[in-house]
Amino acid sequence: MVTVTTPISAKKRQPAQPKKLRYLPPGEGWDEMKSSNGHLRAHWKSFVEQFQSFSIVDMERRWEIAQTLLRDNGVTYNLHGDTAGLDRPWRLDPMPLIISANEWSGLAKGIAQRAQVINAVLSDLYGDRTLIAKGVVPAALLHANPGFLRPCHGWPMASGKNNDFQHLTVYAADVIRGADGMWHVYADRTESPAGAGYALENRTIVGRTLSEILRTVHVERLAPFFDALRSSLRAASPRRSDEPRVVLLTPGPYNETYFEHAYLARQLGITLVQGEDLTARDSHVYLKTLTGLQQVDVIFRHLTGEWCDP
């Protein structure tokens, strides 16, 4: 964003006054901030009005603080073969994406419904298999899928709300907005989806650099998601213990999202482990500790199936 200031008089120094945003939306496609007639969308007005009050010097100072926080917190996203190596800095856009409450409510309901459908399909395929019996899902398609775990057929899963079985503990969707403004899902993430930890870290840093704005625009809180995730992991424990031992299984520091694995483990209050930290004895999994073996109740897997120990 460019802020234009008034010229400084040779006789009297005048304070810099930012002018209105001169950005114009593109002729085609969907613009998040402005409508086709060039007017700010209603849910952007409060943010833009306050954002424009910042001078260029102030914005540079705030952005330097954000970069320092990213560096000090060790926020990285590793890409194999990248010249930045294993410590590739996480890139944070200083301008947040703002979605109206009404639009977010509809999008959230649609994503939740999608997760419920996928969970119901998993529950059926590992249970009664009515979809197979009715011909909705061809039996050959299921049995030929390498991701189908035959030994897990008929296994009881953790109970969720209304005592229904939860096969899908964590779900994420990749969404895009079309040129008509409608949201579309182009990918479902059901196996160790990434992004929650980065979203929380992003919010924390933006909350530090744009704190006065975030206090006035009523941003949706992220804490309820992590509270629900923590509760879901506890509910998945086969032992009815007040303090079940939950671990987060990571491939290790060479994984591209290792920062998030460590960050989530701290946020959820669970132990971060790699494969060599665990051992199986008498059909139970144990964590190796200095004081001996401790039984593990739940493994929050951030390791794809093909990389798991068979």
Side-chain angles (χ1 to χ4, degrees):
M1 169 183 166
V2 177
T3 303
V4 181
T5 58
T6 56
I8 300 177
S9 171
K11 297 182 179 179
K12 184 177 180 181
R13 182 181 298 271
Q14 299 291 335
Q17 298 293 330
K19 290 187 177 181
K20 292 185 178 181
L21 194 67
R22 298 301 181 185
Y23 167 77
L24 296 177
E28 298 180 357
W30 179 268
D31 188 274
E32 293 290 342
M33 183 183 293
K34 288 191 172 185
S35 61
S36 57
N37 58 11
H39 294 157
L40 279 173
R41 300 188 187 278
H43 57 280
W44 273 93
K45 288 183 179 179
S46 176
F47 175 86
V48 171
E49 289 174 356
Q50 297 180 73
F51 193 84
Q52 288 188 129
S53 66
F54 300 149
S55 66
I56 294 179
V57 174
D58 189 20
M59 278 305 305
E60 289 177 345
R61 180 185 60 82
R62 292 169 184 266
W63 189 231
E64 287 176 359
I65 293 175
Q67 295 300 311
T68 300
L69 290 172
L70 289 172
R71 183 176 60 255
D72 293 347
N73 295 346
V75 188
T76 59
Y77 185 89
N78 305 325
L79 290 178
H80 298 292
D82 191 275
T83 55
L86 291 178
D87 296 323
R88 181 178 182 271
W90 176 253
R91 296 178 181 177
L92 175 61
D93 194 325
M95 178 68 74
L97 171 63
I98 302 176
I99 300 175
S100 68
N102 290 337
E103 187 175 33
W104 177 254
S105 176
L107 182 60
K109 289 178 180 178
I111 296 298
Q113 183 184 59
R114 197 177 185 93
Q116 292 170 0
V117 170
I118 295 176
N119 181 72
V121 171
L122 286 172
S123 299
D124 180 76
L125 294 180
Y126 282 105
D128 297 335
R129 295 189 179 182
T130 55
L131 294 175
I132 298 292
K134 294 181 179 181
V136 178
V137 176
L141 182 64
L142 173 66
H143 296 142
N145 192 316
F148 177 63
L149 304 177
R150 296 172 183 265
C152 293
H153 180 262
W155 276 17
M157 306 304 291
S159 296
K161 294 181 180 179
N162 304 320
N163 293 322
D164 55 340
F165 291 137
Q166 297 294 324
H167 282 72
L168 190 64
T169 303
V170 181
Y171 164 77
D174 292 338
V175 297
I176 58 174
R177 193 196 290 274
D180 56 356
M182 298 296 294
W183 290 98
H184 305 272
V185 175
Y186 71 91
D188 295 296
R189 307 292 182 180
T190 60
E191 186 175 35
S192 60
Y198 288 105
L200 183 58
E201 179 68 8
N202 289 349
R203 176 65 62 80
T204 301
I205 293 177
V206 172
R208 290 280 301 276
T209 56
L210 300 176
S211 57
E212 60 269 62
I213 297 182
L214 261 63
R215 284 196 296 267
T216 60
V217 296
H218 307 295
V219 177
E220 189 79 16
R221 297 176 63 245
L222 299 181
F225 168 82
F226 293 95
D227 293 339
L229 177 57
R230 186 183 298 107
S231 299
S232 297
L233 293 173
R234 289 174 173 268
S237 172
R239 294 191 302 171
R240 294 308 172 191
S241 172
D242 292 336
E243 292 296 333
R245 178 172 289 279
V246 184
V247 300
L248 189 151
L249 179 60
T250 174
Y254 293 104
N255 184 263
E256 61 270 16
T257 57
Y258 179 72
F259 162 81
E260 179 176 75
H261 302 170
Y263 188 84
L264 280 179
R266 292 195 303 270
Q267 184 68 26
L268 298 173
I270 60 181
T271 305
L272 182 69
V273 301
Q274 294 181 236
E276 57 266 28
D277 299 320
L278 305 175
T279 183
R281 307 282 178 86
D282 300 325
S283 300
H284 295 288
V285 176
Y286 294 88
L287 173 65
K288 303 173 186 177
T289 69
L290 295 177
T291 58
L293 300 179
Q294 297 183 8
Q295 184 172 338
V296 173
D297 300 303
V298 179
I299 299 176
F300 185 22
R301 179 167 62 89
H302 274 259
L303 186 66
T304 55
E306 62 268 27
W307 291 101
C308 282
D309 190 321

